[in-house]
Amino acid sequence: MITKLKPGSLVKVSIQSNAYSPEGFVTAPARGESGILFFESIDLGSYPSSNDFKGKSTLAREGDIATICRYIGRPMKMVDDSMFSYYDVYEILINGKLKQAFRQNLVLLPKDSKE
């Protein structure tokens, strides 16, 4: 089970081996070796499909820092079970922009993990 993130928590972007869920679904579109893209929204009603990432994107690299703004939800097609919490979607502030990200691509920084 992955820890639920609280608003205001600092996280770092995790790319290595995390662009796909264990089931093989894309959780962060890759941008070659440069990093991954976070978009303005993730369509929770249709994920996983071919057009789930919407709006403008922001490039993020391994270890970039973001702030959790709020919990958005989990895709409707995913089981509502804590073992699938890596599909939870959060709104994050990254590079000065609000984007959405799957929990799988966010690692809680140690100082915030003790809350």
Side-chain angles (χ1 to χ4, degrees):
M1 183 174 111
I2 298 176
T3 307
K4 197 100 167 166
L5 300 173
K6 298 176 185 174
S9 296
L10 294 178
V11 293
K12 68 178 177 176
V13 172
S14 175
I15 297 172
Q16 298 176 356
S17 304
N18 285 334
Y20 294 93
S21 71
E23 292 77 27
F25 302 127
V26 173
T27 59
R31 185 68 182 241
E33 295 296 315
S34 306
I36 58 176
L37 297 173
F38 289 123
F39 287 81
E40 291 176 326
S41 67
I42 299 169
D43 189 337
L44 299 184
S46 66
Y47 183 88
S49 74
S50 62
N51 191 23
D52 300 313
F53 301 93
K54 311 231 183 244
K56 294 181 181 179
S57 64
T58 295
L59 179 66
R61 292 178 171 77
E62 182 73 33
D64 282 358
I65 304 297
T67 303
I68 299 296
C69 296
R70 66 186 175 112
Y71 174 74
I72 300 295
R74 186 177 295 175
M76 294 168 59
K77 295 178 184 174
M78 298 300 145
V79 177
D80 190 22
D81 184 317
S82 62
M83 74 178 278
F84 292 101
S85 59
Y86 48 87
Y87 286 115
D88 288 345
V89 175
Y90 290 88
E91 181 178 66
I92 62 171
L93 179 64
I94 186 161
N95 299 329
K97 297 179 173 41
L98 291 175
K99 302 297 175 189
Q100 291 186 1
F102 282 101
R103 175 64 176 94
Q104 173 167 308
N105 300 108
L106 306 172
V107 176
L108 190 61
L109 292 179
K111 72 173 199 157
D112 284 338
S113 64
K114 296 176 184 174
E115 292 182 3

